[in-house]
Amino acid sequence: MKIVIIGNGMVGYKFCEKMIAKATPGTVELVVFGEEPRPAYDRVHLSAFFSGKTAQDLEMAPASWYIDNNIRLHLGDPVQSIDREHKTVHSHKGFTETYDYLVMATGSAAFVPPIPGVDKKGVFIYRTIEDLELMLDYAPKATTGAVIGGGLLGLEAAKALLDLGLQKTHVIEFAPRLMPRQIDDNGSRLLQGKLETLGLQVHTSKQTTAIVGDDVITGLQFADDSILEADMLVISAGIQPRDELARLCGLEIGHRGGIVVNDQLQTTDPFIYAIGECALYNGMIYGLVAPGYEMAEVVATHILGDHKAFTGFDMSTKLKLIGVDVASFGNPFTPADQCRSIVFEDTMKGIYKRINITPDGQHLLGGILIGDADAYNMLLQTAKNKVILPPNPEDVLLGARGGQEAAGAGVLGLPDDATICSCENVSKAAICNAVIDGHETLDAVKKCTKAATCCGGCAPMVKDLITSTMKSQGKYIRNVICEHFDYSRQELFDLVKIKELRSFDTVLDHYGHGEGCEICKPTVASILASLWNEMILAKGNDTAQDSNDRYLANIQKGGTYSVVPRVPGGEITPRQLMVIAQVAEKYNLYTKITGGQRIDMFGAHVSDLPLIWEELVAAGFESGHAYGKALRTVKSCVGSTWCRFGLHDSVSFAIQIEQRYRGLRAPHKLKSAVSGCIRECAEAQSKDFGIIATEKGWNLYVCGNGGSKPQHALLLAGDVDSATCIRYIDRFLMFYIKTADPLTRTATWLNKLDGGIEYLRNVVVNDSLGIAAQLESEMQVLVDNYKCEWKEVVDSPELRKRFSHFVNAPEEKDPTVQFENLREQKKAANWAK
Amino acid sequence: MSLHNTATINWFFACKVEDVPANGGVCVKYLDEQIALFHFPRRNEWYATQNLCPHRQQMALSRGMTGTQGGEPKVACPFHKKSFSLVDGRCLSDDTECALNTYPVKIEDDRVYIGIVNGRDTETVMA
């Protein structure tokens, strides 16, 4: 089947796109003739050309797209005649093509009223990129611009003149108001006021009678004999369907132009279709892109043998005019005796809203929004789908007030077949199904359904649908842990505490299903540790621990582990350094000083871990919990014991703090530091909790973070004594542990906390929730229960047994482990491949 | 797996049931091969796969966390948390990742045996 398309505008292009998508590859031959020299571009956003976009940016698809899809594209070559008898077209450049079906997408031209002087220099129309290029050339010579036409396109053209740098721009409208087809007098008045503050002069009820000037325009003359000086004019007084070709070959044309089409968009010749702004359907020309796209859809479907009819199109529209939202939907002009109106006007903010509802208050008929059109999509769908209005219909305009529930059911209240994206005709059901199929971001949904890819006006609604659909599926948005537990971490924490559950299996039995996974297992293990602080490798809980916790060491490249003994406050004796040196040499470990004032030993075989720790424990070392979501290090500067600036003994306080909270497991790792003076050498303000000495005591900062998103800690309490400081830290840490989501650092937790640091300070310092004493006693239980878990492993033959590579050859090490030499030490071999 | 039914299977003794932690795995040495063995006591199921994670070629799967995804037993590698089905070895978290070699497991008198299909060339199966 061979189809010839005359016209390569937005609608002509869309027809090609739809045919490619619908037809079996190789069965349809498409030939396109376009009058303009470039492939179809986005005419709706034409004014973006003046704010920096290139012609290429505006392309619907690059020339290569046509090649890739085997479409023969003749650009700059308008069709001259159609021979209906032989089903052929002849082009300006002399090509002849036969067709099985012909699709006319010739669009429209700017309507230029017969005013004397329209041919003067400096008078332009606003339709194609060529028109824009001509304006661009001329604009530097001009200072005062004028636009004839205060409709949608006219205001776009006025914006273009502003963008071109004309100091003054006038808009002349024949009707008594701007955008007479879309908005009412009040709306127009408000819009006019807004536009005038942005540098546009608006003249309504003005009829232009002549364009003044010799060869070049110097001004406009009006019917009331007034004259307006202007040296550049854009005429945007409406559109005229490009029907001359159809007229020439004898197709029926409407009285005021337009190719007459039926429900299938067929012209009076059933093999010739007309779509877009050249088509006259039911006495009407549809001058918007969305109905054009719908026509393309109908024709593509019909040619391929399926039934689909065009039944008219809603002319609702929303746009941003020079930064001002303007929207009208449904029927904004229902006569007063057939509806009731609710009007909201705020001249302070420049907002005007009007809705028309049925006399019984049940349904929305249409309306106008100016200055704030956020509710456009919702209102449009409410009107189109005849959704029942809330008892106080004004709520849909103003939102629910006085502590009432939210107005209506929102986007979820719409029926499945509600059109969300009217440009691409995508239904609510199509979007929800895409989300259910796993397209859970706006980009993914756009790619999958094409919704929100044209004007983008429905994007907020699509986002709402993604969120609500995911919510209805119990996805992460509901904040449940994973598919095995339908609870948030905080909920599960409370449940485990109340039921006094102590193993992963019992928690799974009570509150979960399935076998668990790598998300819920460590989360539950962490909750159990934060509640009871029992040995984490106790039978049953060992395999619920995250990979590193399970071997009490950090797995590194190649499958060996690193070992970090605790060095509280960073204070270490020469004797202890010697022990570390001996152990590292004996087990051939790479050593490095960490960022937290400790020493890390890398490259330990799993079976060597208990042996290494046996020696470390014997020398008085304890686990540093570098492998756990637990307290890591409390870094310190040397403080008043040596430093000439030091105010207090920061090292001693750091050691006290580190020993208090060592082994404390939390939703994420915890880092701390103590600085002896305001010079802050310990960098305490980058820690989860940091302490800085003051003349009078300590300043306590919380919720700082290094890492990929650094964030400074905020002052929680100032000038407190050591005991108070520790009490506040107890409360702060326990409150965080009880309420944070899994793997959430304190900084992120605070960012999500309603009320932020003020709220946190109220809870921790002022005890606004009355839980301070409880938090402190819960922390004390954990402090009292602390045992070094590595000492427990070293002392337990049963636990030591788990530290072997081969279950059936425990004395053998993994033969695949390889090291390379580097600066007199070793390093892990690189990843394979 | 029809292969297992038609070919002869050599069963070798891996370890005792009690040597494998509940809801976890161990690594079993078989000649020069490393096999990861997993026990799901709640379902009374055993699985065995290659120990090598194909993602970064690390001998680590036996130390991974086991669990289920939509009811299907799986293991997540401790290195980068790639998840593999224990039923057919396919990667559940990345369609482009190679699948794991799997082995049949049987229990007799609290002893765990892993089946090696005769003549099966590990290289061919992995490719």
Side-chain angles (χ1 to χ4, degrees):
Chain A
M1 183 192 340
K2 183 170 170 187
I3 305 169
V4 171
I5 299 110
I6 307 178
N8 187 225
M10 295 177 82
V11 173
Y13 161 81
K14 187 56 68 175
F15 174 77
C16 293
E17 190 189 281
K18 299 216 180 250
M19 279 309 287
I20 296 294
K22 284 177 196 291
T24 316
T27 58
V28 175
E29 185 185 354
L30 297 177
V31 180
V32 180
F33 287 92
E35 183 180 63
E36 291 185 60
R38 45 175 64 83
Y41 52 87
D42 182 356
R43 233 184 278 280
V44 174
H45 296 108
L46 207 53
S47 65
F49 189 72
F50 291 134
S51 38
K53 290 239 175 169
T54 65
Q56 208 159 18
D57 292 335
L58 292 173
E59 271 176 7
M60 302 297 290
S64 62
W65 179 85
Y66 298 88
I67 296 167
D68 293 346
N69 288 293
N70 290 318
I71 299 170
R72 273 190 287 139
L73 179 61
H74 298 275
L75 289 177
D77 190 11
V79 168
Q80 296 288 70
S81 63
I82 300 167
D83 179 345
R84 286 165 52 196
E85 195 181 334
H86 297 100
K87 288 175 135 185
T88 52
V89 298
H90 307 283
S91 81
H92 176 72
K93 287 186 183 166
F95 291 101
T96 297
E97 293 276 0
T98 58
Y99 64 81
D100 295 310
Y101 293 103
L102 184 65
V103 176
M104 305 194 67
T106 46
S108 66
F111 167 67
V112 179
I115 305 169
V118 290
D119 52 350
K120 291 191 198 309
K121 276 190 192 148
V123 179
F124 299 88
I125 53 169
Y126 185 80
R127 173 81 191 163
T128 66
I129 287 186
E130 279 67 41
D131 298 335
L132 266 56
E133 284 172 345
L134 292 173
M135 287 167 66
L136 207 53
D137 281 348
Y138 194 85
K141 291 178 240 166
T143 53
T144 306
V147 175
I148 295 182
L152 241 153
L153 272 174
L155 293 176
E156 275 286 318
K159 173 182 187 330
L161 289 182
L162 286 181
D163 287 343
L164 282 171
L166 271 75
Q167 287 153 9
K168 268 192 204 153
T169 295
H170 299 265
V171 174
I172 295 109
E173 170 57 47
F174 176 69
R177 62 174 186 263
L178 291 171
M179 300 181 68
R181 290 177 68 164
Q182 283 89 14
I183 64 179
D184 61 7
D185 288 341
N186 287 336
S188 169
R189 209 160 28 243
L190 192 121
L191 177 62
Q192 192 173 332
K194 281 215 133 183
L195 295 180
E196 280 171 358
T197 65
L198 297 166
L200 284 182
Q201 281 294 318
V202 178
H203 313 266
T204 51
S205 304
K206 279 264 187 204
Q207 187 188 355
T208 312
T209 50
I211 291 159
V212 193
D214 291 335
D215 182 29
V216 180
I217 174 176
T218 56
L220 289 88
Q221 177 145 17
F222 301 113
D224 59 6
D225 287 341
S226 60
I227 284 189
L228 176 74
E229 282 187 17
D231 44 15
M232 185 168 177
L233 171 67
V234 181
I235 297 178
S236 183
I239 56 169
Q240 182 139 33
R242 293 285 302 272
D243 53 16
E244 64 275 13
L245 203 53
R247 215 181 273 270
L248 207 63
C249 69
L251 298 175
E252 188 188 340
I253 305 293
H255 295 303
R256 286 156 62 190
I259 309 165
V260 174
V261 291
N262 63 14
D263 284 356
Q264 261 68 47
L265 289 318
Q266 284 165 311
T267 64
T268 40
D269 179 337
F271 297 101
I272 302 180
Y273 296 81
I275 57 178
E277 292 177 344
C278 66
L280 183 70
Y281 172 79
N282 218 358
M284 179 156 172
I285 296 284
Y286 287 85
L288 292 176
V289 70
Y293 282 5
E294 173 66 10
M295 291 178 183
E297 167 78 20
V298 170
V299 173
T301 310
H302 192 247
I303 287 181
L304 290 170
D306 280 331
H307 181 78
K308 188 155 191 175
F310 186 77
T311 52
F313 205 87
D314 184 75
M315 293 299 275
S316 302
T317 184
K318 172 191 164 185
L319 66 163
K320 227 185 181 62
L321 279 172
I322 320 172
V324 184
D325 277 341
V326 179
S328 88
F329 61 94
N331 185 351
F333 302 122
T334 311
D337 58 338
Q338 291 165 37
C339 74
R340 290 159 188 271
S341 291
I342 298 173
V343 175
F344 171 80
E345 186 167 0
D346 178 346
T347 51
M348 277 286 289
K349 291 183 182 157
I351 295 171
Y352 173 76
K353 299 178 179 184
R354 168 186 174 163
I355 52 172
N356 301 329
I357 57 179
T358 49
D360 60 4
Q362 293 270 304
H363 301 293
L364 185 59
L365 296 167
I368 295 161
L369 305 169
I370 292 167
D372 168 19
D374 285 353
Y376 169 75
N377 281 302
M378 208 47 236
L379 293 175
L380 170 62
Q381 293 304 325
T382 305
K384 267 174 118 173
N385 294 289
K386 301 199 166 40
V387 174
I388 303 280
L389 291 170
N392 299 312
E394 72 270 21
D395 287 357
V396 301
L397 260 197
L398 308 171
R401 287 139 298 121
Q404 298 284 309
E405 282 172 42
V411 67
L412 279 183
L414 297 174
D416 280 351
D417 58 357
T419 306
I420 303 297
C421 174
S422 46
C423 300
E424 293 285 345
N425 195 16
V426 184
S427 69
K428 177 186 164 193
I431 291 167
C432 293
N433 288 336
V435 177
I436 290 165
D437 289 346
H439 305 276
E440 293 176 349
T441 62
L442 180 61
D443 276 348
V445 170
K446 279 165 92 170
K447 214 167 156 189
C448 173
T449 64
K450 291 202 152 255
T453 56
C454 186
C455 75
C458 60
M461 231 162 142
V462 174
K463 271 192 212 157
D464 283 353
L465 277 177
I466 294 172
T467 312
S468 55
T469 308
M470 285 175 70
K471 265 189 187 168
S472 70
Q473 285 187 292
K475 283 283 170 64
Y476 182 65
I477 291 192
R478 232 191 82 211
N479 222 2
V480 300
I481 293 168
C482 67
E483 66 174 80
H484 306 104
F485 288 95
D486 298 327
Y487 298 97
S488 70
R489 181 186 177 278
Q490 187 178 349
E491 289 164 346
L492 198 60
F493 189 100
D494 293 339
L495 292 168
V496 170
K497 183 173 188 203
I498 291 161
K499 290 269 180 182
E500 292 192 34
L501 305 178
R502 284 169 190 260
S503 74
F504 177 76
D505 265 359
T506 54
V507 177
L508 190 61
D509 288 341
H510 276 83
Y511 300 111
H513 34 82
E515 296 285 314
C517 66
E518 71 278 6
I519 295 165
C520 61
K521 279 183 165 182
T523 301
V524 172
S526 164
I527 289 173
L528 293 170
S530 290
L531 274 171
W532 320 118
N533 205 6
E534 293 173 338
M535 174 61 190
I536 63 166
L537 297 187
K539 228 179 196 150
N541 286 345
D542 51 350
T543 52
Q545 303 300 330
D546 213 338
S547 320
N548 286 342
D549 268 328
R550 183 165 169 207
Y551 291 95
L552 305 181
N554 298 52
I555 196 166
Q556 305 289 0
K557 237 180 184 175
T560 61
Y561 288 85
S562 63
V563 173
V564 186
R566 186 166 297 287
V567 181
E571 183 183 84
I572 189 163
T573 65
R575 172 72 36 202
Q576 285 176 307
L577 283 171
M578 283 159 75
V579 171
I580 287 183
Q582 280 163 10
V583 168
E585 284 209 319
K586 183 170 174 185
Y587 295 94
N588 185 25
L589 306 175
Y590 166 84
T591 52
K592 189 181 182 306
I593 309 289
T594 72
Q597 303 185 336
R598 318 202 273 188
I599 298 170
D600 204 342
M601 293 173 268
F602 292 79
H605 284 274
V606 66
S607 52
D608 283 343
L609 288 173
L611 301 168
I612 290 168
W613 274 104
E614 192 163 15
E615 298 191 27
L616 292 172
V617 167
F621 282 107
E622 294 185 331
S623 167
H625 296 94
Y627 45 79
K629 304 303 177 204
L631 179 81
R632 298 284 173 86
T633 187
V634 181
K635 190 175 166 180
S636 71
C637 70
V638 74
S640 59
T641 51
W642 290 92
C643 178
R644 66 189 192 283
F645 298 116
L647 296 171
H648 306 311
D649 181 357
S650 47
V651 179
S652 296
F653 199 40
I655 292 172
Q656 188 188 349
I657 304 258
E658 183 156 346
Q659 288 184 331
R660 179 169 182 80
Y661 302 114
R662 64 191 163 178
L664 176 70
R665 281 191 158 76
H668 212 309
K669 63 184 171 188
L670 290 167
K671 295 182 174 184
S672 178
V674 183
S675 278
C677 78
I678 193 60
R679 285 168 190 75
E680 243 284 66
C681 295
E683 297 164 328
Q685 289 165 101
S686 69
K687 306 297 184 190
D688 294 283
F689 57 106
I691 300 154
I692 301 175
T694 66
E695 297 280 352
K696 298 176 194 158
W698 305 101
N699 277 352
L700 174 58
Y701 294 82
V702 293
C703 301
N705 203 166
S708 60
K709 268 174 121 183
Q711 186 169 322
H712 277 138
L714 299 171
L715 183 68
L716 183 72
D719 293 330
V720 292
D721 60 36
S722 300
T724 308
C725 188
I726 287 176
R727 287 218 320 278
Y728 288 171
I729 299 171
D730 277 4
R731 297 173 187 178
F732 160 70
L733 288 177
M734 214 55 224
F735 189 51
Y736 160 67
I737 287 170
K738 294 177 83 156
T739 59
D741 282 336
L743 301 181
T744 303
R745 289 287 296 272
T746 53
T748 320
W749 169 71
L750 180 70
N751 294 346
K752 286 198 225 163
L753 197 66
D754 280 343
I757 186 72
E758 297 300 330
Y759 174 73
L760 182 62
R761 187 179 297 117
N762 265 330
V763 173
V764 171
V765 178
N766 306 328
D767 194 14
S768 59
L769 299 180
I771 57 170
Q774 186 199 343
L775 294 173
E776 283 174 41
S777 75
E778 285 166 340
M779 179 60 80
Q780 196 56 47
V781 169
L782 300 181
V783 171
D784 293 342
N785 273 2
Y786 168 78
K787 285 184 190 137
C788 170
E789 50 207 23
W790 260 116
K791 184 171 189 309
E792 288 185 84
V793 171
V794 166
D795 293 343
S796 157
E798 183 66 23
L799 290 173
R800 283 180 81 138
K801 234 179 84 181
R802 295 293 182 212
F803 290 82
S804 62
H805 184 67
F806 293 115
V807 68
N808 54 348
E811 66 292 343
E812 282 184 43
K813 291 175 177 166
D814 180 357
T816 66
V817 168
Q818 285 181 334
F819 301 112
E820 291 165 8
N821 288 322
L822 181 71
R823 290 185 294 274
E824 293 176 56
Q825 294 201 70
K826 69 178 182 183
K827 76 176 193 73
N830 265 329
W831 302 117
K833 280 187 216 171
Chain B
M1 284 195 153
S2 59
L3 191 61
H4 296 153
N5 299 332
T6 53
T8 18
I9 297 175
N10 261 359
W11 294 100
F12 80 91
F13 167 65
C15 59
K16 291 199 234 154
V17 166
E18 66 191 45
D19 292 333
V20 184
N23 307 303
V26 291
C27 174
V28 179
K29 184 179 157 81
Y30 172 70
L31 303 178
D32 286 337
E33 277 184 56
Q34 298 192 19
I35 297 172
L37 172 68
F38 304 98
H39 187 201
F40 286 68
R42 298 167 66 94
R43 311 156 61 112
N44 194 24
E45 287 170 1
W46 292 80
Y47 295 96
T49 68
Q50 68 189 55
N51 192 33
L52 186 80
C53 176
H55 171 227
R56 286 295 195 177
Q57 310 284 311
Q58 301 287 311
M59 282 295 184
L61 290 175
S62 59
R63 299 179 209 164
M65 258 178 288
T66 58
T68 51
Q69 179 173 317
E72 184 173 4
K74 64 161 192 168
V75 64
C77 175
F79 273 91
H80 305 97
K81 299 271 154 70
K82 295 253 179 192
S83 273
F84 297 91
S85 161
L86 294 176
V87 177
D88 58 12
R90 77 185 190 288
C91 187
L92 298 170
S93 51
D94 181 353
D95 291 341
T96 64
E97 195 52 79
C98 296
L100 303 180
N101 210 348
T102 60
Y103 303 83
V105 181
K106 69 173 181 183
I107 311 296
E108 281 172 9
D109 299 333
D110 281 341
R111 291 160 69 85
V112 186
Y113 296 86
I114 297 176
I116 304 292
V117 179
N118 249 359
R120 186 168 75 163
D121 184 335
T122 316
E123 293 296 315
T124 353
V125 174
M126 276 180 68

